[in-house]
Amino acid sequence: MLKKKSPVSYLISHYWKETRRSPMWHRNLIVNIILGVSFFFVMLNFLFLGFFADKVLLKLFPGQDPVDVFNSGLLYYFGIELFTRFWVQSLPGMNVIPYLHLPVKRATLMHYLLGRSLSNLLNYISFLIFIPFSLKVIAGAYTASVACCWLLTMLLCVIFANLTVVYIKRQLASKIWVALAWIIVFALLFGADYLDVFSLSDVSGRLFGGILTTSWFLLVPALLVAGVYVLNYRFLLSHTYPNEYNPRSRQETTIANFHFANRFGTIGRMIAVELKLIMRNKRTRMILFTPLFIIFYGFFILERPGTVGFMRDMWGVMSTGVLMMGYGQMPFDGRYFDGVLIRNSVGQYIRTKYILYVLMCLFSLVLCIPQMCLMPATVLIFLSGAIYNIGINTIIMVYCIGYGRESIALGQGSSMNWQGVKAYQFVTVLLIMFLPTIIAAIFQHFGNAASFLSLAIPGLLGILLAKPLLNICIRHTARQKYAMAEGFRQRR
């Protein structure tokens, strides 16, 4: 059968049949139509911006060449695109096992997977800006061949961004340090630009401006694309053997066992289970990267002269509590909640959650140390925010555990995934984010010191009264535990 038709065409037809025959296809048809209409309007806006980009740049930067200004901002644009793709872009996947015993080469499967990641139309929405700009502005200022060369460079940069994000997200499942290395490199580049160590706009202008005068500059993005494609190909090729899907082999290659927590008794062992759950599942691992981006963005928020005082206090609460908020809002342990009830008491379960949330707040505070060193004025902001999170928000998060009813699919990605999100979680966000903002805004009229104390004092009271407050949470969860267990069983 494979001789009459190429293996790739069979793979495409199988993917299309799998999509059409899925019950989710008809269930989400109306939603997809609405999203398609919205996407069409976004395309029109991008196309409009592409045709009038030169006029917009002339108004924003009078007296400067629109082509030079556009080129100087491209590195920032692709940096933002990488950040957006990391959270939004989903990985193309397929069940490889049924094909491993068929006369289909593993190399063909890998090229097909990489080709699917490149065929997504979202990858090329930027060309609604690039194509009109190149035809109208660059071709008018230079030649048509130069415009085509520049446009081909943009295509290679988009492909490089796509393959880079695919590689980083795939490495999250096996070598988390590789993904962290990529993220740290990008953070250092933008941080150095922010601190005026060097200018990314100058580098961007020279790189993309050089393509307009020297065509062999096109080899640079071409080599980068080839390099990251080979990285993806080798990674996929090395993870398509049958033993990769053997449960025993996966158990032998776990990331960490956290044996050090066993010395702290039952609660220590339960904390170790929670840490294993975070490190060994896709959706929980993504939460670990959220504080890195949130805290890095704080450099831009806290240094802006126009930032209102109470907004800085809110950012201190958010920065030191983002890890706790992201993990605590979802009942990630719903799939083994019956085992928790059998082996441990509700009191031990609640105290474990409380200690884990406190540790997450302290870890987020440690991540804020570089900001406190570079901006000493933010020390009180982060300290008051951390005290409030530990004293008040951890109690709110622990109390809301009793409202969890739906277990989470841990193997799915977290980008654009609303599975398990319920109304009580939005109420929780309002309490943990807007309540300290309102408090800080009221006391901001009496000065910054009063604003800091308005968060630190309730936090200290919450820490001192942690035991009776936890007892309230334990009684609340004990009343809800059977309803929680029944809800978790129904969602499996």
Side-chain angles (χ1 to χ4, degrees), residues 323-336:
L323 186 59
M324 177 264 298
M325 297 173 193
Y327 183 74
Q329 282 185 298
M330 296 288 187
F332 289 111
D333 52 5
R335 292 181 179 270
Y336 64 89

Side-chain angles (χ1 to χ4, degrees), residues 373-400:
C373 294
L374 296 173
M375 296 179 288
T378 63
V379 173
L380 292 178
I381 294 175
F382 289 117
L383 287 179
S384 61
I387 294 173
Y388 184 88
N389 279 320
I390 294 173
I392 303 298
N393 282 342
T394 52
I395 299 297
I396 294 175
M397 298 295 294
V398 170
Y399 186 85
C400 291

Side-chain angles (χ1 to χ4, degrees), residues 283 329-331 400 403-408 417-429 487-488 491:
R283 194 164 179 181
Q329 282 185 298
M330 296 288 187
C400 291
Y403 295 105
R405 296 290 187 276
E406 182 174 354
S407 59
I408 305 299
N417 188 353
W418 298 94
Q419 187 263 334
V421 179
K422 298 298 178 183
Y424 81 91
Q425 292 160 348
F426 290 99
V427 176
T428 305
V429 171
F488 292 144
R491 303 294 181 179

Side-chain angles (χ1 to χ4, degrees), residues 102-113:
L102 296 176
V104 180
K105 295 182 179 180
R106 289 188 299 118
T108 303
L109 296 174
M110 301 309 102
H111 289 302
Y112 164 74
L113 270 177

